[in-house]
Amino acid sequence: MELERRELPATGARAVRDLAHEIAVTLGPDPATSSTLANPTLIHLVDARYTELPAAVREAMRAPATTAGVTIVGSVPLDDGELGPTPIDWKQAATWGGDPLTCAASFELDIAMLLLARCAGEPFGWQGQQAGRLVNNIVPSPGHEEEQTGASSTTLLAPHTEDAFHPERANLLMLGCLRNPDRVGTTVSSVRRVELRPWQCDRLSESILPILPDLSYGTEFPTTPAPAVPTLGTDDGRLTLRFDPAYTPLADADPEFRSAYDHLASELERVCITAALAPGELLLVDNDVVVHGRVPFRPRYDGTDRWLKRVNIRLPQRRRAETEAAEDGYGQRIVAPFRAMRPEIGTTLGHRR
């Protein structure tokens, strides 16, 4: 099962970097802007100018078109020498962004990621994750090797829907590779390629268990009862998925439900594809259809480790089940400056009516 692949034309790929550089120069060396990406001027410039990119760039950033639900887009021009060392955690990455003595290119690449994400839809962040940054840095971090978070390394990052616990989770996830010398693979599996019996679909469509927030959001959450959510849904008659076994209390379910859930997990493993991104490549993941994870690897913490950037994207044309509107998302709130810039984006997003 091969991955869909799209190529940015050389002129289009160069245009992304050039426009990102121009915006960075316009903003000037402001550590606050580069570390948080919350500057209204930055948001305005990205929103106003992404349409200047060649049509071929915007076409390449459309949602995946195959049942695999994933697309590799190649490639944004990138030289390893402009990156500086891989940070040891997201906080260091945010602090270094825009600092010419460490990694001047990181801020420009953040802007490039926002431009590309805006071509696809509405980029957004989370108040409780990486200080609300719209572009997250995914690097292995000391002390987090065995966690089920993006900062882990030596353990298998189990296949999961990104932010499965929340009703406002992304429709599309974009991963941009800056560095991956060990060819560490990202795993992807589409629910539209699994084989399930009718009774398994029926049970997994019931709201039996909750999905809890992952450790990247901390551990302090409201004490109100966690709502049960369905694992499977449908969109125009096709299966959708909300799956995160590492943060689902499966022991609380009845044996029949656990059997159906285990079979789904086995099927997702059977249809799994591994994508080892090269620097400059992007991975677009349909978060309503695909679960993703990562194979284990041994970090060196010497400045040469794997380094990805991640952007959550909402797609205006998508709708989710109306029942999700009643969920509070454990108090987690999104950061959506593009929606504030263009209120019409917010009116076209939401749940199925």
Side-chain angles (χ1 to χ4, degrees), residues 191 196 200-201 204-205 230-234 239-242 264:
V191 70
L196 298 171
Q200 293 169 329
C201 288
L204 293 171
S205 298
T231 302
L232 296 181
T234 58
L239 283 178
T240 59
L241 183 63
R242 195 173 179 182
L264 172 61

Side-chain angles (χ1 to χ4, degrees), residues 215-239:
L215 291 175
S216 67
Y217 290 91
T219 57
E220 298 297 326
F221 302 107
T223 57
T224 53
V229 300
T231 302
L232 296 181
T234 58
D235 180 23
D236 292 332
R238 297 181 298 171
L239 283 178

Side-chain angles (χ1 to χ4, degrees), residues 7 22 29 39 44 50 54 57 119 128-129 159 169 195 227 290 312:
E7 294 293 337
E22 184 178 338
N39 187 315
H44 172 76
Y50 80 94
V57 174
C119 287
Q129 188 180 68
R169 63 196 177 277
E195 296 180 3
V290 172
N312 294 289

Side-chain angles (χ1 to χ4, degrees), residues 297-341:
F297 67 101
R298 183 69 59 182
R300 292 179 291 271
Y301 301 131
D302 62 354
T304 65
D305 284 319
R306 177 178 184 258
W307 184 1
L308 304 184
K309 287 185 180 287
R310 178 183 66 200
V311 186
N312 294 289
I313 303 170
R314 283 183 166 275
L315 300 179
Q317 66 273 27
R318 292 283 179 91
R319 295 292 187 271
R320 292 203 175 102
E322 179 62 24
T323 53
E324 292 191 19
E327 300 176 27
D328 69 355
Y330 300 87
Q332 296 300 312
R333 297 291 177 260
I334 63 172
V335 178
F338 289 97
R339 190 177 306 179
M341 185 71 62

Side-chain angles (χ1 to χ4, degrees), residues 2-162:
E2 294 184 356
L3 292 171
E4 178 187 18
R5 185 174 184 97
R6 304 169 187 161
E7 294 293 337
L8 296 175
T11 53
R14 188 68 255 171
V16 174
R17 285 300 307 265
D18 290 346
L19 181 54
H21 176 75
E22 184 178 338
I23 292 174
V25 171
T26 299
L27 291 168
D30 181 358
T33 297
S34 58
S35 63
T36 67
L37 304 180
N39 187 315
T41 304
L42 168 61
I43 302 303
H44 172 76
L45 287 170
V46 170
D47 193 60
R49 302 196 62 185
Y50 80 94
T51 55
E52 297 175 16
L53 295 172
V57 174
R58 301 196 298 274
E59 172 68 12
M61 295 307 298
R62 71 189 189 281
T66 70
T67 57
V70 288
T71 303
I72 293 179
V73 180
S75 291
V76 176
L78 182 64
D79 184 88
D80 191 73
E82 66 180 323
L83 295 179
T86 299
I88 62 168
D89 57 27
W90 71 264
K91 292 181 180 178
Q92 188 176 72
T95 301
W96 284 358
D99 182 351
L101 297 179
T102 50
C103 183
S106 183
F107 180 44
E108 288 187 18
L109 290 166
D110 284 336
I111 298 174
M113 293 297 106
L114 288 177
L115 288 166
L116 290 165
R118 188 66 188 90
C119 287
E122 178 206 356
F124 71 94
W126 296 95
Q127 291 179 358
Q129 188 180 68
Q130 296 203 13
R133 290 188 104 244
L134 299 179
V135 181
N136 296 157
N137 287 282
I138 308 300
V139 294
S141 299
H144 299 271
E145 289 85 353
E146 298 295 323
E147 289 180 355
Q148 284 297 310
T149 67
S152 68
S153 52
T154 57
T155 192
L156 173 73
L157 183 61
H160 62 283
T161 303
E162 188 75 3

